[in-house]
Amino acid sequence: MVSFTLLLTFAVSALFSVQSVVSTAIYAMDYDALANEAREVLSSPVPPHWVIYWDIWTGAIGPPDVSAISGFNVFALSFLLTEGAFDQAEEWTTLTDAQRTTIKSQYAAAGIKLIVSVFGATDAPTSTGADPVETANTFAAWVKQYNLDGVDVDYEVKLHFRRNL
């Protein structure tokens, strides 16, 4: 259901400071219906956002050094699924608070937001009947717990798009 994606996107945006990660600006949106915090999130920083993520195990623990991703202003850990954290997102949970704080500080100093990609090609929230509000609340709690800047909604349930569900 496309409505699941839209509801999830807006619910996540309303729950915490999700930065827009599209490469085009949002100009036609009616901001009057949004809370002040949501308006601030959507209006700053100004796009474009250059996003990078990878899902390849490199043997290193944690995201790459900021020097390795020069030119990007958003790095997405992969993947947070409805079943929990996997790959780099799971790896992020194994770091100590001090390690995460150091990495976040380095990324912030370089002007790079650190987010997590949710769903991906292996998660099918629509066909599994995941509740969009509960899912958004769970993702928001995870992002807050691990001090990230937001989420990238990587909704790839191709079967539903082909069937116009």
Side-chain angles (χ1 to χ4, degrees):
M1 295 177 150
V2 174
S3 60
F4 178 91
T5 303
L6 294 176
L7 178 57
L8 178 62
T9 301
F10 288 115
V12 170
S13 296
L15 290 170
F16 54 72
S17 298
V18 175
Q19 297 295 324
S20 172
V21 292
V22 295
S23 61
T24 58
I26 302 172
Y27 294 110
M29 182 171 225
D30 177 15
Y31 288 99
D32 293 337
L34 299 174
N36 286 338
E37 182 181 7
R39 275 186 249 147
E40 290 172 17
V41 167
L42 291 173
S43 63
S44 173
V46 177
H49 302 288
W50 303 103
V51 181
I52 184 172
Y53 81 94
W54 64 67
D55 194 22
I56 298 173
W57 186 77
T58 62
I61 301 298
D65 187 85
V66 294
S67 63
I69 57 171
S70 177
F72 292 93
N73 55 14
V74 179
F75 181 83
L77 302 168
S78 56
F79 279 99
L80 181 58
L81 308 179
T82 53
E83 297 86 27
F86 290 84
D87 306 327
Q88 282 77 35
E90 181 180 22
E91 192 176 88
W92 184 251
T93 69
T94 67
L95 300 175
T96 66
D97 287 340
Q99 289 171 312
R100 286 192 298 268
T101 299
T102 298
I103 292 167
K104 280 282 296 176
S105 295
Q106 292 167 348
Y107 271 62
I112 302 170
K113 296 291 185 182
L114 191 58
I115 65 173
V116 65
S117 284
V118 298
F119 304 130
T122 59
D123 205 1
T126 303
S127 56
T128 60
D131 178 81
V133 173
E134 182 179 315
T135 301
N137 286 333
T138 300
F139 289 169
W142 193 92
V143 167
K144 287 179 177 181
Q145 178 181 354
Y146 293 105
N147 193 29
L148 295 174
D149 296 309
V151 302
D152 161 48
V153 178
D154 186 7
Y155 190 77
E156 297 184 26
V157 186
K158 295 173 183 88
L159 175 63
H160 293 290
F161 287 120
R162 277 186 251 136
R163 292 183 180 173
N164 294 321
L165 296 176

